[in-house]
Amino acid sequence: MIVAANRPPVTYGRGSDGALVPHRGAGGLVTALRGLVAGAEVTWIASAISDTDRELARAHPAGRAEDIDGGSARVRLLAHDPGAYAQFYGHVSNPVIWFTQHQLWNLPSEPSFGPDFVAAWDNGYRVVNEAFATAVAEEVASRPAAPVVLHDYHLYLAPRGVRQRAPGACLAHFVHIPWPPPDALRVLPADVARSIVDGLLASDLVGFHTPRWRDNFAACCVELLAARMVGAEVVRHAGREIRLTARPISVSPDDLHAMAQSAPVLAEEDALVAERGELLIVRVDRTDPSKNVVRGFLAFELLLERHPELAGRVQLLALLDPSRQDVPAYVAYRAAIESAAARANARFGSADWMPVRLEIEDNFARSVAAYKQYDVLFVNPVFDGMNLVAKEGPLVNTRAGCVVLSDNAGAHTELGEAVLSVNPFDVGQQADALYDALTLPPGERASRASLLRAAVVAQPISAWTDGLLADLAEAVASDGRRIEIS
Ligand code: F6P
């Protein structure tokens, strides 16, 4: 199997003695894909992220074998020109495509596309996508029937590039973030919006986490490219038929349970138990505007205003992974998070009670410890392709905790019946939902918690991988091709 994603499974630095020091690749996508390597022979094509990665990429242009979570993959790193990569990642992928698909724009004032954006698109996004397409096509040349799965919003032009170089490639593209309705995509310059959709349609299969994102994409194909739909899952475009699918990604319950019993998590849990008060609300996120942390703090303030009896009894613990600090909008959002937390504490805190405890660091062990300890898990994204926090928490929670979940998170499709649903923009409703979650009768908490666990276990990560490959096999079979997995 050939996998292509911006992030590698492992990135490297060097210790003071010059030895290679591996760092586990970050992010939900990488975690999910790491599970793949146990079951198949995988070549993973990714961008070199660190200087040491770039050194390794130059020394091993065909890739190196890496041990990953008990399996092994050949990891082929692409050493992009640093200027092109900065344009690709910091000027197009995150501040423009991510913002567009999560509908984060403040439209009266942003975005404005001028020559800078055109340059970043041409000299960054296109260039990096061409490098991926070239590498994928080289791999396909030696294994023409291997399934190829490209991932995410960084690589929308790559399928078209692969198709030009390797017309018979068995090609899937999986989009891990929400797909918005056509009007939201029309914010982009028209040629950019069209080439994104057209690029994806060079695949045989385009995958999404939920039918809602899949159907929005279908509407964009029809409106922007005058493509035709045959039912909900087949697009006719430029003389080809392309399959669409909805396959929800998940987590590995076994891995998470093992992690929950590991020494670092137990140590963090001891510390949390020693610090916690009577009631604990937890959120675990990246410092990303799509995660809606600031409105979450406002909702918590409103909860304290409406229920003074909770003073001194409840704490909101926000464990946030610092994210994309090379993008100005993310730097500004992090500052907004810090001042919203400070405001809530100044307004309601006392000498022996800090209502909001904000910790901005990359510490997964602490997050898992907090999952075990929450009474309420608060997940209120503006939009989210899936949101794995909403799946991870209930698997290891020990307090029959309740989940308050945005109905714009992909995970809501599977978990909706067991959570307290909220509109991510309605701060008053979120305050009420937090109160309800804190005060549900024990019997209802327990039954919701076990429903949640059952819903997560019903869709293991293997179902996502197997389903995607079955969909790809079916898509290519329509013109007589077959995929082969070794
Ligand atoms: O699908 C979204 C995603 O690519 C996830 O892998 C992860 O949660 C996040 O974005 C990682 O972003 P970045 O690679 O920019 O840190």
Side-chain angles (χ1 to χ4, degrees):
M1 186 178 327
I2 299 164
V3 167
N6 177 48
R7 285 228 177 233
V10 187
T11 69
Y12 284 95
R14 284 205 187 273
S16 50
D17 56 354
L20 287 176
V21 179
H23 302 283
R24 199 188 152 95
L29 183 155
V30 164
T31 306
L33 292 189
R34 290 170 72 101
L36 265 181
V37 305
E41 208 175 281
V42 173
T43 296
W44 185 321
I45 302 169
S47 298
I49 305 287
S50 64
D51 289 343
T52 311
D53 291 347
R54 270 187 284 281
E55 246 177 67
L56 289 173
R58 281 188 285 272
H60 305 275
R64 306 184 338 138
E66 297 280 358
D67 287 336
I68 300 163
D69 292 352
S72 163
R74 181 162 62 88
V75 178
R76 178 171 172 172
L77 293 177
L78 306 178
H80 311 293
D81 168 72
Y85 188 76
Q87 301 269 51
F88 155 84
Y89 186 80
H91 291 262
V92 178
S93 301
N94 292 320
V96 174
I97 300 180
W98 179 278
F99 266 56
T100 300
Q101 288 192 232
H102 289 83
Q103 302 188 56
L104 299 177
W105 297 119
N106 177 15
L107 286 179
S109 54
E110 57 176 17
S112 298
F113 296 112
D116 286 356
F117 176 75
V118 175
W121 178 257
D122 286 340
N123 307 329
Y125 196 79
R126 270 186 199 288
V127 168
V128 170
N129 271 261
E130 285 294 295
F132 270 94
T134 304
V136 169
E138 281 169 15
E139 297 292 336
V140 170
S142 58
R143 282 160 297 150
V148 181
V149 188
L150 307 176
H151 292 271
D152 236 348
Y153 59 102
H154 311 91
L155 300 182
Y156 285 155
L157 303 182
R160 179 66 59 209
V162 175
R163 189 64 73 206
Q164 281 156 0
R165 293 164 173 84
C170 301
L171 203 55
H173 192 295
F174 199 92
V175 178
H176 290 263
I177 64 176
W179 198 279
D183 280 354
L185 210 65
R186 284 180 190 278
V187 167
L188 296 172
D191 57 331
V192 168
R194 273 200 301 271
S195 40
I196 285 175
V197 180
D198 173 75
L200 283 166
L201 290 182
S203 315
D204 296 296
L205 176 75
V206 187
F208 302 86
H209 288 309
T210 67
R212 181 176 172 189
W213 314 142
R214 178 201 63 198
D215 295 347
N216 283 342
F217 178 73
C220 289
C221 295
V222 172
E223 278 205 25
L224 273 63
L225 296 181
R228 281 193 39 220
M229 292 304 298
V230 184
E233 298 205 324
V234 175
V235 190
R236 283 215 179 111
H237 172 61
R240 294 177 65 245
E241 289 203 340
I242 300 96
R243 235 344 258 273
L244 307 184
T245 190
R247 295 275 177 195
I249 202 166
S250 192
V251 294
S252 159
D254 290 348
D255 290 355
L256 201 67
H257 285 303
M259 175 87 187
Q261 294 311 320
S262 68
V265 171
L266 294 176
E268 290 289 357
E269 193 181 4
D270 284 348
L272 275 181
V273 170
E275 293 154 4
R276 62 164 294 155
E278 179 190 343
L279 298 165
L280 187 63
I281 302 174
V282 166
R283 68 176 306 144
V284 174
D285 279 307
R286 287 181 301 105
T287 53
D288 191 304
S290 69
K291 301 297 182 184
N292 213 16
V293 183
V294 172
R295 278 198 199 88
F297 288 169
L298 291 176
F300 184 64
E301 269 194 52
L302 203 51
L303 169 77
L304 298 177
E305 188 181 306
R306 288 178 178 170
H307 298 282
E309 75 279 10
L310 289 174
R313 294 173 51 207
V314 63
Q315 186 174 55
L316 171 57
L317 173 64
L319 301 180
L320 306 182
D321 197 352
S323 185
R324 303 178 186 163
Q325 293 298 298
D326 45 356
V327 179
Y330 283 75
V331 176
Y333 194 67
R334 180 180 168 150
I337 289 171
E338 285 168 335
S339 59
R343 196 187 102 120
N345 285 336
R347 193 169 158 213
F348 291 100
S350 61
D352 48 10
W353 174 52
M354 179 167 51
V356 176
R357 179 168 182 152
L358 172 63
E359 297 179 11
I360 302 184
E361 62 170 335
D362 176 2
N363 185 348
F364 191 55
R366 188 152 173 87
S367 300
V368 176
Y371 288 159
K372 292 169 82 177
Q373 281 295 317
Y374 69 75
D375 298 295
V376 176
L377 182 64
F378 189 20
V379 187
N380 68 332
V382 171
F383 281 98
D384 210 330
M386 171 52 70
N387 196 294
L388 292 179
V389 168
K391 293 189 167 187
E392 288 169 341
L395 278 177
V396 294
N397 182 256
T398 58
R399 297 174 63 90
C402 195
V403 176
V404 172
L405 180 61
S406 161
D407 53 20
N408 282 344
H412 195 272
T413 307
E414 293 156 87
L415 310 181
E417 282 182 18
V419 299
L420 298 186
S421 304
V422 288
N423 169 340
F425 311 104
D426 188 340
V427 171
Q429 185 204 22
Q430 288 167 58
D432 290 344
L434 289 174
Y435 183 73
D436 291 346
L438 289 169
T439 55
L440 276 184
E444 188 175 343
R445 294 174 67 81
S447 68
R448 282 177 183 269
S450 71
L451 249 179
L452 270 172
R453 269 194 304 277
V456 177
V457 171
Q459 276 292 338
I461 183 72
S462 54
W464 176 71
T465 320
D466 296 348
L468 202 58
L469 290 176
D471 291 337
L472 179 58
E474 209 177 301
V476 300
S478 64
D479 61 11
R481 285 172 295 154
R482 283 188 50 191
I483 58 174
E484 282 168 22
I485 304 176
S486 49

